[in-house]
Amino acid sequence: MKRRRLTTLLAAAVLALLPTTTAQAEPTYPDPQPLTGQQIIHDPTIIRLRSGGYVAYSTGGVLGARLSKDLRHWDDAGNAFAEPPSWWYEYNDSGDPWAPDISYRAGRYWLYYAVSSWGTNHSAIGVATSRSGLPGTWTDHGKVLTSETTDSWNAIDPALVQADGRLWMSFGSYWTGIRMVELNPRTGKAAQGAPVHHLATRPDAPYAVEGPYIVKHGRYYYLFASYDQCCAGVNSTYKIRVGRSTTVTGPYMDSEGKPLLEGGGDLLLAGHGRYVGTGGQSVFRARDGQDWLAYHYYDAEGEGTPKLGLNRLSWTSTGWPKAF
C-alpha cells in the first residue's frame, strides 16, 4: 500500500513539472511604417530613381503616380499617362489599367500593366518605356501578352524578373493562379512560341491567388503572392504568402515543403487591427541596400480607404523573408 501511494505521489510530481497545454498564440504582424502626404494607393510598385528619390505607380487614374525623397513623405504626382492608349478600350469601357510593375534595364525604365474587366479573363498586359521613369514621360508599346475566355489563365498582374541572363514575367489571377512566360529582352514582349509555365494555385475554386512578385535572394527565387479576396474595403481578406525555388520556373515550395501548386505558401503578412486586407505587393531595394515590401491595406479607421503599406524585409538564418 505504501509502495502504491509512493508511486502515485511520484507520478503526480512528474506531471506537475510538465508544461501545461495552452491555446496556440495568434500570430502577430508588424504595422506599416508611419507615412505622411498622399497615402492613398492600390497595387503599388516602387523603384529608386537614378536621378534620386523614389516613384510609386499604382492602380487608379491612368496609373497613378507618387513621388518621395525618403520613403516617408509621398506627394501626388499625377499619372503615368495623360490619357489611355486607344487599344485599352478593347478590354474595358473606361480604359482603366491595373496593377503596374516598374523595372530598369538597358538604359530605360519599363512599366508593365494590365487592362481587363472585373470577372473576366479577356485581358491584356501592356508595356511602356521611359528614360526618366517620371510620370508623363512614358511611351506605350502595346500588348505584351493576352488571354481570352477560352484560356485557363488570366493575363493580369505582371511582374518582371531576370534569371541566368533571361527575362521572365510572372502574372495571373484566379483562373488556375500564377503563371510565367519568357520575354524577348529587346522588345520586352512575350518571346515567340514561349510556353506558359504554372507556378502556384489553390486546390479549390475560385483558385484565389494573384499578384505574383519574384525576387532572387541567395540561391533561391522567392515568389510572393496575394491570397484570398481583394477590393472589398474592410471586408477584404487579402494576405501575402511566399514560397521559394532554386529555379525561376519552379517548382516553388513553402518552408514545410508543400508545393505552391498544391495550395502551399508561408504566411508573411495578414490583416491586423486597422490594417485590413494586406496585399497587391511588390519588393524593391532602397538606396542603402535595404529590401522593402510595398503593399496596400484598407484602413479600418479611415472608411476602408486603400493606403500604402511599407515594411522592411529581413532574411532569416534559413533564408526566409520576414517583414518588420
Side-chain angles (χ1 to χ4, degrees):
M1 188 71 172
K2 289 183 179 179
R3 183 178 298 172
R4 183 180 299 173
R5 179 174 176 78
L6 180 60
T7 300
T8 302
L9 290 172
L10 287 172
V14 169
L15 287 172
L17 292 174
L18 293 175
T20 57
T21 301
T22 58
Q24 188 173 359
E26 289 292 321
T28 57
Y29 302 101
D31 294 347
Q33 80 159 14
L35 302 178
T36 59
Q38 177 56 274
Q39 300 173 48
I40 299 174
I41 208 165
H42 209 276
D43 305 320
T45 179
I46 297 175
I47 197 170
R48 179 171 61 90
L49 296 170
R50 296 171 73 84
S51 60
Y54 300 85
V55 64
Y57 289 101
S58 65
T59 298
V62 197
L63 297 177
R66 312 280 184 265
L67 292 172
S68 177
K69 294 179 180 179
D70 57 8
L71 295 179
R72 291 188 176 274
H73 180 83
W74 293 85
D75 292 315
D76 191 332
N79 296 281
F81 298 94
E83 59 184 31
S86 60
W87 70 266
W88 290 5
Y89 293 98
E90 298 174 31
Y91 295 92
N92 62 51
D93 293 337
S94 59
D96 180 27
W98 299 347
D101 173 70
I102 191 170
S103 56
Y104 182 86
R105 64 179 182 84
R108 290 187 290 176
Y109 294 89
W110 298 72
L111 188 66
Y112 287 75
Y113 56 85
V115 281
S116 185
S117 296
W118 193 263
T120 180
N121 65 332
H122 172 61
S123 310
I125 291 170
V127 65
T129 58
S130 166
R131 293 292 180 184
S132 69
L134 292 171
T137 68
W138 294 95
T139 300
D140 190 64
H141 300 291
K143 302 173 188 178
V144 172
L145 183 73
T146 64
S147 61
E148 299 299 337
T149 55
T150 53
D151 291 316
S152 61
W153 39 270
N154 194 10
I156 70 170
D157 293 2
L160 265 64
V161 61
Q162 296 188 67
D164 301 321
R166 299 163 71 179
L167 186 64
W168 302 86
M169 181 179 71
S170 58
F171 65 94
S173 168
Y174 291 59
W175 278 274
T176 71
I178 305 305
R179 302 283 179 152
M180 170 173 274
V181 69
E182 187 173 3
L183 302 183
N184 180 322
R186 183 181 62 83
T187 64
K189 299 183 178 184
Q192 187 173 5
V196 176
H197 301 271
H198 202 183
L199 305 186
T201 190
R202 304 284 290 276
D204 53 329
Y207 315 109
V209 52
E210 58 188 4
Y213 198 89
I214 295 175
V215 296
K216 179 83 179 292
H217 180 79
R219 67 188 188 94
Y220 291 102
Y221 294 92
Y222 292 81
L223 169 59
F224 299 77
S226 297
Y227 284 56
D228 297 323
Q229 185 182 14
C230 170
C231 313
V234 295
N235 295 315
S236 300
T237 56
Y238 243 14
K239 55 185 66 70
I240 302 169
R241 293 187 180 271
V242 63
R244 71 185 185 187
S245 172
T246 54
T247 57
V248 74
T249 55
Y252 286 86
M253 310 281 188
D254 64 21
S255 62
E256 295 184 352
K258 186 174 183 179
L260 268 62
L261 281 171
E262 298 177 10
D266 286 4
L267 187 56
L268 176 69
L269 186 66
H272 56 286
R274 70 185 293 180
Y275 310 105
V276 177
T278 54
Q281 74 292 322
S282 59
V283 177
F284 69 96
R285 182 157 290 177
R287 67 170 57 91
D288 62 358
Q290 171 69 57
D291 290 327
W292 287 82
L293 179 71
Y295 56 94
H296 68 251
Y297 66 89
Y298 300 93
D299 189 351
E301 296 181 11
E303 300 181 346
T305 299
K307 293 183 178 180
L308 176 61
L310 292 176
N311 287 92
R312 293 178 176 87
L313 275 184
S314 62
W315 299 87
T316 68
S317 60
T318 54
W320 288 94
K322 182 178 177 62
F324 67 100

